[in-house]
Amino acid sequence: MKRKVLSMILAASMLAAVLTGCGGGNASAPAADNAAAETETEAPADTEAEAPADTEAEAEAPAAEGGKIGVSMPTKDLQRWNQDGDNMKKELEASGYEVDLQYASNDVATQVSQIENMISSGCQVLVIAAIEGDSLGTVLEQAKEANIQVIAYDRLILNTDAVSYYATFDNYKVGATQGQYIIDQLKLDSEAGPFNLEIVAGDPGDNNARFFYGGAMDLLQPYIDEGKLVVKSGQTSFEDTATQAWATETAQSRMDAIIAANYADGTKLDAVLCSNDSTALGATNSLEANYTGDWPIITGQDCDIANVKNLIAGKQAMSVFKDTRTLASKVVEMVDAIMKGGEAPVNDTESYDNGTGIIPSFLCDPVFADVNNYKELLIDSGYYTEADLQ
Ligand code: BGC
């Protein structure tokens, strides 16, 4: 029953995404120059209060007229969050706001204390990409009491009524794009098979991970049920395939064990459904070290630089491009509307229930990416330079 309701919610989300796209908006400067941030070290959690290395608000900048906005990002470890944070900061500043941008080292306690500081230092709207969807209820109670509106950024914040809006990409569609790709590439509707599949899902604490998994598995499960797709490891449920913190190393060591137990004898692995690029990188590393058969189809999402290089090298078959400039522009529009006392733009009011009710959402459109269209998507649009991908 629960699954049926989830499927209905997910299907509605997919339909909504087909009907709407993310408005282009005024994309900010190319994110390619942000790639360097990848190598920046994060401030350890306990030094945050003294001299937070991740604090990007410039104390000496003249006080912005528009007011102060807090932007809380999960980590600098993954390329995409650096781009999200930089784009948000640039665009909010260009719209006249002062920005307190913080990265939380993938540590929930750090994120909570950074948000507390944002509340006490006078931020008027909070934009939060949660590390764990379910862990911010208490701190967001404080925001609500202080009349500070909260926009959940990319990841839904669960079980608190302090969240006013949600801005994300259509997460179900990301998974469906990956699942459909595997169906098309293996020609599951015309070939006899059977084909071997393994699954690497995302972080169980991230609400998005279930949407990615659901979008792909709603399409792939019928082929598993009829025996055309075989998961030799036997690991098919979300819980069995989840990857804590989306960590590359965790995905890699799980894949090491799967290969050793099922594919070491030359058995062909046809496809690995990876929910995002960091897990795809883990699967790819493991296959390179341990697998001798024909190279499988590997899916991903985000178009991280390392993974685009793998697309070009033929190691990863596809990714899903989520233009963080577009999401940032949309969130700046939302912030603006809230600060002016109005309602933020949304295009979905049925897909995302956070446990306290539906959160009005804006879903941007994710785009299929592979070796044939990456130049147009990523280079021509100024997201990366040719040099970034060498
Ligand atoms: C995001 C993905 C990202 C993953 C790991 C998800 O919430 O939607 O784009 O790959 O987190 O950071």
Side-chain angles (χ1 to χ4, degrees):
M1 173 62 185
K2 215 169 161 195
R3 187 174 163 78
K4 201 165 171 196
V5 172
L6 178 68
S7 309
M8 282 165 63
I9 293 170
L10 297 178
S13 142
M14 199 170 172
L15 179 65
V18 171
L19 299 176
T20 56
C22 207
N26 45 332
S28 67
D33 56 343
N34 301 334
E38 254 187 318
T39 54
E40 277 180 36
T41 9
E42 298 200 56
D46 50 3
T47 64
E48 225 43 78
E50 292 149 44
D54 285 348
T55 302
E56 310 240 343
E58 277 142 35
E60 277 139 50
E65 287 158 25
K68 189 171 167 191
I69 312 298
V71 179
S72 169
M73 289 283 139
T75 176
K76 282 197 160 190
D77 287 351
L78 246 73
Q79 186 194 322
R80 75 151 291 184
W81 302 114
N82 294 283
Q83 287 169 200
D84 286 282
D86 284 357
N87 290 333
M88 285 293 307
K89 184 167 147 65
K90 263 182 224 156
E91 291 223 11
L92 283 168
E93 286 177 349
S95 300
Y97 297 104
E98 184 187 342
V99 181
D100 182 359
L101 170 64
Q102 304 280 342
Y103 293 85
S105 308
N106 253 340
D107 179 64
V108 173
T110 301
Q111 185 160 47
V112 168
S113 86
Q114 289 175 339
I115 293 171
E116 275 168 354
N117 286 338
M118 289 173 183
I119 295 169
S120 60
S121 72
C123 287
Q124 289 157 279
V125 175
L126 299 179
V127 177
I128 301 171
I131 294 166
E132 231 173 56
D134 214 3
S135 303
L136 298 178
T138 311
V139 67
L140 292 190
E141 239 354 87
Q142 295 171 34
K144 197 178 163 197
E145 274 159 25
N147 281 323
I148 299 169
Q149 293 208 41
V150 174
I151 301 174
Y153 186 92
D154 196 71
R155 297 171 171 175
L156 188 56
I157 302 170
L158 302 175
N159 300 320
T160 163
D161 63 0
V163 178
S164 303
Y165 296 103
Y166 179 36
T168 189
F169 288 86
D170 186 331
N171 298 306
Y172 185 91
K173 190 176 174 188
V174 170
T177 304
Q178 298 165 337
Q180 189 60 50
Y181 181 79
I182 290 176
I183 292 169
D184 293 345
Q185 293 300 305
L186 294 180
K187 300 192 177 65
L188 292 185
D189 290 324
S190 55
E191 296 289 325
F195 297 98
N196 292 327
L197 170 78
E198 295 296 339
I199 302 161
V200 186
D203 183 353
D206 177 352
N207 190 56
N208 288 355
R210 290 172 196 275
F211 276 74
F212 303 142
Y213 173 87
M217 290 303 279
D218 280 355
L219 295 174
L220 296 175
Q221 190 66 48
Y223 298 98
I224 296 175
D225 292 343
E226 74 172 89
K228 202 173 261 195
L229 277 180
V230 177
V231 182
K232 289 182 84 62
S233 68
Q235 297 166 13
T236 55
S237 68
F238 177 75
E239 285 69 24
D240 284 350
T241 56
T243 309
Q244 207 67 37
W246 296 96
T248 297
E249 301 70 25
T250 308
Q252 186 168 342
S253 53
R254 181 168 157 261
M255 190 52 68
D256 287 348
I258 289 175
I259 294 172
N262 304 281
Y263 302 96
D265 60 356
T267 302
K268 187 173 177 219
L269 175 57
D270 297 285
V272 190
L273 170 71
C274 296
S275 285
N276 85 332
D277 278 353
S278 59
T279 54
L281 206 56
T284 306
N285 293 344
S286 172
L287 284 157
E288 280 194 309
N290 305 303
Y291 174 78
T292 51
D294 286 347
W295 198 254
I297 293 163
I298 298 177
T299 67
Q301 129 174 237
D302 289 334
C303 287
D304 285 348
I305 287 178
N307 300 74
V308 179
K309 287 182 180 170
N310 280 351
L311 291 181
I312 297 166
K315 293 181 193 169
Q316 181 174 324
M318 60 83 77
S319 188
V320 178
F321 180 45
K322 306 199 296 189
D323 193 330
T324 53
R325 299 169 298 190
T326 316
L327 184 59
S329 298
K330 188 47 73 179
V331 173
V332 172
E333 269 181 53
M334 288 175 139
V335 169
D336 243 347
I338 294 171
M339 290 295 283
K340 291 180 177 134
E343 305 249 313
V346 296
N347 63 7
D348 181 289
T349 51
E350 51 191 18
S351 302
Y352 287 95
D353 187 329
N354 83 335
T356 66
I358 297 282
I359 305 299
S361 305
F362 199 102
L363 309 186
C364 296
D365 212 14
V367 180
F368 171 84
D370 71 359
V371 70
N372 299 313
N373 72 352
Y374 83 92
K375 276 195 180 146
E376 186 190 331
L377 282 183
L378 303 171
I379 294 177
D380 297 354
S381 77
Y383 203 74
Y384 295 138
T385 62
E386 294 269 9
D388 290 329
L389 303 176
Q390 263 144 36

